[in-house]
């Protein structure tokens, strides 16, 4: 019935709950209804995952994006995750190869770019504050996965 109100569960336990799961092999425009779910990207070619506007989805909306190849190696294709026009990322990408981390500048970084040399299994959690998207990413090598001002 599309009720919009808080539900107090009183310590109840939910079982059998699953996140919405989407598998994408090509460009995809994320919609508000995808929020709270997981997008697994297995790129067949250079791929753009276009996020919705932070203002449209509102504060608290989130999505997880996992980039994979079945062989578990490098992606072999570029993947770009883009904010809506005029919006920019805040956040951090943590590199697992002792290469450090990258912090989005918040004023021009409107993409997360993964080169064809990025590794399978890299993951991003993206949350809207109603004005911009906040991204936390886990990457193997930050020289292949980074915040950027343009798609790769």
């Amino acid at each position: 019935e599309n009720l919009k109100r808080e539900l107090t569960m009183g310590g109840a336990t939910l079982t059998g709950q699953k996140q919405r799961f989407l598998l994408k092999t090509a460009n995809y425009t994320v919609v508000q209804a995808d929020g709270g779910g997981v997008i697994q990207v297995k790129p067949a070619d250079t791929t753009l995952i276009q996020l919705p506007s932070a203002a449209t989805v509102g504060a608290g909306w989130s999505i997880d994006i996992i980039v994979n190849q079945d062989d578990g190696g490098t992606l072999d294709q570029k993947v770009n995750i883009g904010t809506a026009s005029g919006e920019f990322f805040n956040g951090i990408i943590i590199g697992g190869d002792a290469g450090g981390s990258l912090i989005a500048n918040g004023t021009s970084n409107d993409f997360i770019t993964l080169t064809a040399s990025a590794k399978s299994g890299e993951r991003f959690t993206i949350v809207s504050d109603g004005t911009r998207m906040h991204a936390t990413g886990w990457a193997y090598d930050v020289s292949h996965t980074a915040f950027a001002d343009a798609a790769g």
Side-chain angles (χ1 to χ4, degrees):
E1 292 185 22
N2 199 18
L3 300 173
K4 294 183 179 181
R5 61 179 119 169
E6 289 184 26
L7 178 63
T8 302
M9 298 296 290
T13 301
L14 297 175
T15 59
Q17 182 180 358
K18 294 182 180 182
Q19 288 181 282
R20 181 176 182 173
F21 182 84
L22 302 165
L23 174 62
K24 300 298 173 185
T25 58
N27 295 347
Y28 180 67
T29 300
V30 181
V31 296
Q32 185 169 4
D34 296 335
V38 176
I39 298 174
Q40 182 180 33
V41 182
K42 290 186 177 183
D45 201 352
T46 297
T47 301
L48 171 63
I49 303 300
Q50 181 64 57
L51 297 172
S53 164
T56 299
V57 296
W61 181 92
S62 67
I63 192 84
D64 286 322
I65 300 173
I66 302 169
V67 184
N68 274 328
Q69 284 291 350
D70 286 333
D71 64 9
T74 61
L75 294 183
D76 304 323
Q77 301 292 335
K78 295 178 184 177
V79 175
N80 297 287
I81 302 168
T83 61
S85 178
E87 293 183 6
F88 306 105
F89 280 112
N90 274 348
I92 187 169
I93 298 173
I94 302 164
D97 67 339
S101 58
L102 297 172
I103 298 173
N105 68 16
T107 60
S108 68
N109 293 156
D110 50 0
F111 286 92
I112 297 171
T113 60
L114 292 86
T115 70
S117 297
K119 301 295 183 188
S120 180
E122 296 189 5
R123 181 181 182 120
F124 306 89
T125 296
I126 300 170
V127 179
S128 168
D129 70 1
T131 302
R132 65 180 62 233
M133 295 293 188
H134 296 265
T136 303
W138 297 268
Y140 177 76
D141 185 340
V142 293
S143 67
H144 299 297
T145 302
F147 291 107
D149 295 351

